[in-house]
Amino acid sequence: MSKIMVAGFVQMETIVKVEELPVPYKQFESTPDLVDTEIGGAGFNEAMALKWLGDEVDFMSMVARNMSRHQIDAYLKTNEVDLRTDYVLPMLDGMPTSVILYCRGKKQTFEDVKDIRHVDYEFELLERQIQDKDMVLMSNCNFCRPIIGLAKKYSKPLAVNVRSMRAEKIANKEDFLKAADILYISDDDLESDHYDCIQECREKYDPEIIIMGIGDKGVILYTKADNSVIEYKPVKTTEIVNTIGAGNALFSAFIHYYVKTKDAKESIKNALLFASYKIGFVGTSNGFMTEAQIEQWKKLIWPLR
């Protein structure tokens, strides 16, 4: 069992299934299974995934002052996840919230993170909890910035989910990019060629590993150790219902297996399996497999291994 610190958003997420994007105007629509509202957010989803895989997880985040930690605990209990919420602090004026319109692989997201960009997390908690960790996985949120220095101070490997690499967003995340040992990037709004982006990251930030999610085409994995850049195709374990949250699931599973084995190529195969099952479910924090289930699927997909 690995010890992993996860730091990032937890928010209320509403996913609306629509017939097309942009959405044509209708005054009213009432359809079964049209709207799904649950707790989500990149950090929360990653922490949930790692707990399903058997890791010991400290989840560092913030919620609204009027939101009881018991509300999150009740959600976790419903989903049979024993994730401690001791470090989810009620410090915000409002609860971060997003609404996602989803249509056959395409999405349009409306997000309101309230005041989380301007509120500092308790530094003493971060420093105390990081010291015994095997890995730190975090998003490029403002309140996560102190972790960069702490990871360096205590020699902890740092995995960062930066997701977007749009030019106008990079300036605000340069410190995260430079500090990361492992980078996760999505091609959702990528403006350059996939391989050019990876090459630029290699030269400018020098991470040990880069994972780029390329949607229904799979992932591209760069590993500094052997200077390789390999594209991996997706695998199929179930029918696709909703791909939102697939990147968080894939990155979490990769981190779990990489901490355990230090084998990036085998870890990415396991991560692809993990993510392929997750997209058979609607909510971003639903549909995770255990290690045992992943092993069962591997025997079905790669029987001669």
Side-chain angles (χ1 to χ4, degrees):
M1 179 188 294
S2 301
K3 293 184 177 181
I4 300 176
M5 175 190 282
V6 177
F9 279 0
V10 56
Q11 62 185 10
M12 297 306 300
E13 290 183 342
T14 296
I15 299 174
V16 184
K17 184 180 179 181
V18 297
E19 290 301 317
E20 57 182 302
L21 287 172
V23 179
Y25 174 73
K26 287 185 181 180
Q27 185 178 15
F28 180 78
E29 183 169 349
S30 178
T31 306
D33 301 319
L34 181 71
V35 180
D36 180 82
T37 299
E38 298 181 10
I39 297 173
F44 183 73
N45 298 340
E46 289 162 351
M48 286 269 285
L50 289 165
K51 282 300 296 184
W52 267 96
L53 289 167
D55 294 307
E56 184 178 323
V57 180
D58 283 349
F59 176 46
M60 327 299 281
S61 191
M62 296 183 284
V63 295
R65 295 185 187 93
N66 64 358
M67 182 174 185
S68 167
R69 188 182 293 144
H70 297 303
Q71 291 174 261
I72 302 177
D73 289 337
Y75 178 81
L76 292 169
K77 186 175 181 180
T78 301
N79 286 273
E80 301 179 346
V81 180
D82 182 24
L83 174 66
R84 291 174 59 189
T85 56
D86 304 51
Y87 312 116
V88 179
L89 309 181
M91 300 176 68
L92 306 178
D93 290 340
M95 188 66 190
T97 304
S98 70
V99 176
I100 305 164
L101 307 182
Y102 180 80
C103 174
R104 295 184 289 274
K106 295 182 179 180
K107 62 183 178 180
Q108 185 175 5
T109 302
F110 301 83
E111 186 176 68
D112 181 355
V113 298
K114 306 302 182 186
D115 57 330
I116 199 168
R117 291 194 175 100
H118 311 292
V119 178
D120 294 330
Y121 193 87
E122 291 186 13
F123 183 84
E124 293 77 13
L125 272 182
L126 294 174
E127 182 159 27
R128 187 183 73 197
Q129 297 309 122
I130 199 173
Q131 294 181 42
D132 67 341
K133 298 300 181 289
D134 300 305
M135 173 69 71
V136 179
L137 192 168
M138 69 178 188
S139 304
N140 56 289
C141 312
N142 284 345
F143 77 86
C144 296
R145 277 199 159 84
I147 297 173
I148 295 173
L150 290 171
K152 184 175 181 180
K153 179 179 178 179
Y154 293 103
S155 301
K156 300 299 177 182
L158 193 57
V160 183
N161 183 350
V162 296
R163 212 176 76 180
S164 175
M165 289 295 289
R166 287 181 67 88
E168 68 268 21
K169 295 184 178 182
I170 290 177
N172 193 46
K173 59 178 77 170
E174 285 276 355
D175 48 348
F176 291 97
L177 291 162
K178 291 175 181 177
D181 298 291
I182 304 173
L183 275 176
Y184 176 78
I185 301 166
S186 170
D187 76 340
D188 280 352
D189 59 358
L190 197 64
E191 297 171 312
S192 62
D193 174 79
H194 295 96
Y195 291 92
D196 288 345
C197 178
I198 290 172
Q199 180 63 25
E200 183 178 350
C201 286
R202 290 168 62 179
E203 294 174 353
K204 196 170 183 179
Y205 308 118
D206 194 32
E208 295 297 319
I209 293 170
I210 300 171
I211 301 167
M212 178 180 284
I214 53 175
D216 59 5
K217 296 180 179 64
V219 298
I220 301 172
L221 175 70
Y222 159 72
T223 51
K224 182 180 177 180
D226 59 1
N227 195 33
S228 66
V229 181
I230 303 172
E231 185 171 329
Y232 290 83
K233 301 298 181 184
V235 295
K236 183 175 181 179
T237 54
T238 186
E239 294 300 319
I240 298 173
V241 174
N242 194 317
T243 59
I244 300 169
N248 299 149
L250 183 138
F251 194 38
S252 305
F254 177 86
I255 294 303
H256 166 79
Y257 282 101
Y258 185 72
V259 171
K260 185 176 180 179
T261 67
K262 296 298 184 289
D263 185 335
K265 294 175 176 61
E266 189 65 22
S267 296
I268 202 67
K269 291 179 182 179
N270 291 330
L272 283 164
L273 266 174
F274 190 78
S276 75
Y277 186 76
K278 188 263 167 294
I279 61 178
F281 296 78
V282 176
T284 62
S285 56
N286 290 325
F288 303 127
M289 283 197 285
T290 63
E291 264 198 9
Q293 289 172 312
I294 289 175
E295 289 303 314
Q296 290 170 357
W297 274 106
K298 283 166 71 174
K299 290 174 183 177
L300 291 173
I301 295 173
W302 299 297
L304 300 179
R305 279 186 74 259

